[in-house]
Amino acid sequence: MAVNDSIRRKRLKKTLLDMKKKMWNDLRDELFRKLGKEYNTQFDNPRDIEEMALIDIIEDTGLAVADVRREELERLDESLRKIDDGTYGVCEDCAEEIEEERLRVMPFANRCVKCKGNTEITKKPTL
């Protein structure tokens, strides 16, 4: 059993590291695209109120996307820390292993499908 746990942990860690590398590369590419010459030129000389408003929207959207990516990277780092601790892939509610397929799809999952379903059922809708 310990050998299987070690193999599973190595597979999951590789998946997380690959995902982290891809996220960093995507973020870097996006920043280089946004900070390109045309982007800076647009900020230098907005011609009217509409263009200034559009630039504000672009800035706000870019910041929101960057913030989401930052949060995802933080969650990835937390998952990698949990792998090193031996607590990654363990359901916070029932302490059973979370299915590997679920972790591939949702690497930040902290509950197994059954417990997540139970949590969703017990949540009351907010108005």
Side-chain angles (χ1 to χ4, degrees):
M1 184 91 177
V3 172
N4 287 339
D5 287 344
S6 176
I7 293 170
R8 179 178 191 256
R9 202 175 2 245
K10 285 179 184 177
R11 252 192 332 260
L12 291 171
K13 186 170 187 172
K14 182 183 180 331
T15 300
L16 289 172
L17 288 171
D18 290 347
M19 183 179 291
K20 183 177 180 178
K21 182 178 179 180
K22 183 182 180 329
M23 288 174 73
W24 273 113
N25 287 336
D26 290 349
L27 183 57
R28 187 193 69 227
D29 291 345
E30 184 177 327
L31 287 173
F32 283 137
R33 270 195 318 274
K34 284 188 177 183
L35 297 176
K37 188 174 184 177
E38 299 81 23
Y39 187 71
N40 288 334
T41 303
Q42 187 178 11
F43 280 103
D44 290 339
N45 300 311
R47 287 174 250 169
D48 56 25
I49 292 174
E50 288 84 15
E51 283 187 11
M52 291 186 334
L54 179 59
I55 289 169
D56 286 343
I57 290 169
I58 290 169
E59 280 184 316
D60 290 347
T61 303
L63 291 173
V65 168
D67 197 41
V68 167
R69 293 230 170 114
R70 180 191 53 78
E71 288 177 19
E72 288 175 345
L73 285 165
E74 286 175 357
R75 292 175 76 184
L76 254 174
D77 284 338
E78 176 65 15
S79 296
L80 287 166
R81 185 193 60 74
K82 285 182 173 186
I83 281 182
D84 292 338
D85 291 353
T87 59
Y88 179 74
V90 177
C91 179
E92 291 181 359
D93 292 343
C94 69
E96 294 292 322
E97 276 190 355
I98 298 172
E99 300 81 11
E100 198 167 329
E101 186 61 32
R102 175 167 170 73
L103 292 172
R104 279 193 203 112
V105 174
M106 296 198 62
F108 316 120
N110 56 1
R111 290 183 174 84
C112 66
V113 173
K114 181 181 174 189
C115 291
K116 182 64 176 175
N118 290 340
T119 302
E120 295 296 322
I121 291 171
T122 59
K123 282 186 181 178
K124 293 183 180 180
T126 56
L127 300 176

